[in-house]
């Protein structure tokens, strides 16, 4: 794997490299943790954290319920967080998940800590099925600022057995391009 902090890539190249990794990886959390390490953002012991965003719960749509294999939106919980590493807000994620398909310990971690979703459910060996990639930033718009939305990925997470348990929309920001080292 190429080290993006050493590679002679411009902004567009870094965005493409990260996008490709996220689309290919089974866990956005794992990809981001590796990215932060490579970019020097996790220097000084900073870790990827999920900071809750206070927002009204969003019920899943009928299509989301169908993709999650649930008969009622009441069976789905909503979680919205900003993923940070140190002072950098890397992305914002909206998760619609089925708590009954997680262990009680996983649900407790999601309810009471700043643990990213992917780390909390790691034991399920999640598989990602990407539904869409939306490019929100173009190179012609100039170098993105830290809060600039770069791209969004919409995906469904399933267990190793193929049971869907989460639908996620992740919007990645320009701060993810920072170089901490």
């Amino acid at each position: 794997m190429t080290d993006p902090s050493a590679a002679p890539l411009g902004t567009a190249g870094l965005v493409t490299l990260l996008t490709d990794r996220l689309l290919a990886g089974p866990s956005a959390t794992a990809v981001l943790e590796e990215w932060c390490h490579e970019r020097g953002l996790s220097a000084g012991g900073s870790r990827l954290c999920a900071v809750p965003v206070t927002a009204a719960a969003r019920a899943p749509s009928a299509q989301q319920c169908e993709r999650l294999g649930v008969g009622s939106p009441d069976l789905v919980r909503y979680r919205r967080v900003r993923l940070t590493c140190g002072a950098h807000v890397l992305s914002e994620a909206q998760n619609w998940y089925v708590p009954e398909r997680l262990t009680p310990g996983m649900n407790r971690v999601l309810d009471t800590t700043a643990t990213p979703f992917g780390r909390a459910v790691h034991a399920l060996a999640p598989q990602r099925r990407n539904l869409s990639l939306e490019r929100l930033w173009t190179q012609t718009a100039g170098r993105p600022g830290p809060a600039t939305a770069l791209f969004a990925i919409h995906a469904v997470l399933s267990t190793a057995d193929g049971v869907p348990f989460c639908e996620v929309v992740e919007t990645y920001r320009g701060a993810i391009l920072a170089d901490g080292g």
Side-chain angles (χ1 to χ4, degrees):
M1 212 174 275
T2 306
D3 177 350
S5 63
L9 295 175
T11 301
L14 284 172
V15 171
T16 298
L17 179 64
L18 178 59
T19 303
D20 290 349
R21 285 187 184 183
L22 288 163
L23 291 172
S27 167
T29 300
V31 170
L32 289 178
E33 287 176 330
E34 184 177 335
W35 182 266
C36 288
H37 175 74
E38 291 171 357
R39 302 284 303 157
L41 300 177
S42 56
S46 292
R47 284 190 66 151
L48 195 63
C49 292
V51 178
V53 173
T54 304
R58 290 185 57 191
S61 68
Q63 294 83 7
Q64 287 174 310
C65 286
E66 184 177 327
R67 284 189 290 262
L68 291 171
V70 296
S72 168
D74 296 336
L75 300 174
V76 179
R77 189 175 295 166
Y78 178 73
R79 182 178 193 236
R80 184 172 171 182
V81 298
R82 286 190 180 101
L83 291 175
T84 65
C85 189
H88 303 280
V89 178
L90 308 177
S91 67
E92 189 163 307
Q94 296 181 79
N95 297 83
W96 291 266
Y97 66 98
V98 184
E100 292 176 357
R101 295 184 185 156
L102 308 182
T103 68
M106 290 173 187
N107 282 304
R108 190 171 35 262
V109 165
L110 290 170
D111 290 342
T112 62
T113 73
T115 302
F117 194 87
R119 195 180 315 136
V121 302
H122 177 75
L124 296 177
Q127 306 295 309
R128 276 174 73 99
R129 179 171 57 96
N130 298 308
L131 301 175
S132 67
L133 166 67
E134 183 180 3
R135 297 188 190 282
L136 303 168
W137 170 82
T138 61
Q139 193 168 5
T140 58
R143 178 143 177 98
T148 301
L150 300 176
F151 58 92
I153 297 175
H154 186 177
V156 173
L157 305 178
S158 300
T159 63
D161 304 3
V163 177
F165 63 88
C166 177
E167 186 161 329
V168 62
V169 175
E170 306 153 338
T171 303
Y172 295 89
R173 297 182 176 187
I176 206 155
L177 303 173
D179 186 353

